[in-house]
Structures are given as C-alpha cells and as structure tokens.
Amino acid sequence: MNALMPASELAGRPVVTMAGEDVAQIKDTVFESAAGRVAGFTLSGRGLLSGPLRKSLPWSGVLALGHDAVMIPDEDVFERRGRVVARSEAQGGAVVGARVLTDTGTALGEVVDVVIEIEGGTARAVGYEIDPSEALGGKRRRVYLSLPETLAVSGEALVVPALAADFVAEDLPGFAETVRAFRDRLRREA
C-alpha cells in the first residue's frame, strides 16, 4: 500500500500543468461503479468567483497526485464533464450520507467519507469513514470500515458482508493493516 486518504481531502486541490500553470481545482472525486477505481475528477475554476467547469479530469490524465497539487501534462487531457461522470452512473448514487447495512440486516452507521488507496498508477476505494451505530460501539469517534471488492450501493444504503464489521479501525494509519487483513480473510474464504 502506498497511501490512504479520505476522498474529501482532494476537494480544492489545485490542478497544475507540467509548465506550472494553475488551470483548475478538484471539485469531486468520481468512482467507476464496478471496481471502485477513481475514474477522475470534476473540476471548478480557480479563484473566489469561479464555479464548476464543463470539463473534467480523467484519472488517465493524472501524472501525479501529491499533498499539494494534482499534476497533469497539459489541459489537453481534460474531457467533457459528462464522459467522466458517466463512468459512475451505475454506482447508484452518492455514497456519502448513505446508511451502512450488513447483508444480515445489521446497521453499522452512516458513510461520512470514502477512503482511497493510491498505489502505483491507480487509485481506488478501499473503505469508508463512518459514524458508527450501536453495533460498532455507538457514538464514539468515527471509524474506518474495510470495503470488499463487490457490494451493493444505492443513494440510500451501502450493503457490506457481515464479516466487514470485524475489520474496523479507529484511525487512518491503523486502517492500512485492517485493509490488508480483510483482503487476506476474503481470499482464504473464497
């Protein structure tokens, strides 16, 4: 694992060309529906009165994603906004704010953020930051829940295997080991 970060931390991050031009900023992260990979980003302009742009940045156009900026070769990598957003349409809606339920009907909490893993040339969702329900110890601070490869998602609920409740971490640094352990368990049971 290279890096884990909440997707919300990408919002507002500047998009910079190799020539050093500050051309946009990240508005939202778009995930591909099937694999949870980052498909790209919707963009907004830079500056106080700038709004959403009609173009988006596909993940394939990203050279580097750093703590301070997203690097692209030039603005030619931008696509029409609808092309990147269309890759997420089968996802069933926004996941932030959705209830998290196990496949046995236990409510685990509510999604606050998506945790992404950036590894090599890919970025994908590996889990969720959630406000826990009583099933996970109640109203303690937020926790991180591992994400299996496949799950059901709608705009209202996220359904995970009951096994996922055993793979919860209370902080992002500890979550990396939790994700590894969850993947290992799923492989053994497959």
Side-chain angles (χ1 to χ4, degrees):
M1 245 181 242
N2 286 347
L4 293 178
M5 73 173 60
S8 63
E9 285 186 9
L10 297 174
R13 196 165 291 190
V15 177
V16 181
T17 67
M18 290 293 291
E21 299 172 45
D22 188 351
V23 294
Q25 67 182 13
I26 301 298
K27 183 175 183 298
D28 290 307
T29 303
V30 178
F31 295 93
E32 289 180 10
S33 59
R37 284 187 298 270
V38 173
F41 306 98
T42 60
L43 303 171
S44 59
R46 298 285 290 157
L48 185 61
L49 301 176
S50 295
L53 299 178
R54 291 186 178 161
K55 51 192 170 183
S56 59
L57 173 60
W59 179 257
S60 61
V62 174
L63 293 175
L65 189 135
H67 291 287
D68 298 317
V70 177
M71 182 68 65
I72 61 173
D74 54 46
E75 290 183 77
D76 291 341
V77 299
F78 291 155
E79 293 181 355
R80 286 179 294 121
R81 182 182 173 109
R83 289 194 65 199
V84 170
V85 173
R87 295 178 188 138
S88 72
E89 287 181 350
Q91 185 74 21
V95 72
V96 173
R99 294 178 306 136
V100 181
L101 304 170
T102 67
D103 55 1
T104 59
T106 303
L108 299 180
E110 184 175 299
V111 177
V112 176
D113 208 341
V114 178
V115 178
I116 61 173
E117 173 186 43
I118 301 169
E119 185 173 32
T122 63
R124 65 187 183 105
V126 293
Y128 297 100
E129 181 179 4
I130 64 172
D131 275 331
S133 70
E134 292 298 320
L136 292 178
K139 288 294 179 185
R140 62 180 186 215
R141 62 187 175 153
R142 293 177 175 164
V143 298
Y144 298 90
L145 177 73
S146 293
L147 166 73
E149 294 296 323
T150 59
L151 57 127
V153 178
S154 74
E156 296 178 18
L158 167 73
V159 180
V160 299
L163 173 66
D166 295 336
F167 294 90
V168 173
E170 293 192 12
D171 59 18
L172 199 53
F175 187 56
E177 183 56 37
T178 302
V179 169
R180 277 192 284 278
F182 187 55
R183 286 177 182 165
D184 290 346
R185 175 95 179 256
L186 288 174
R187 278 189 212 113
R188 284 193 307 270
E189 292 184 3

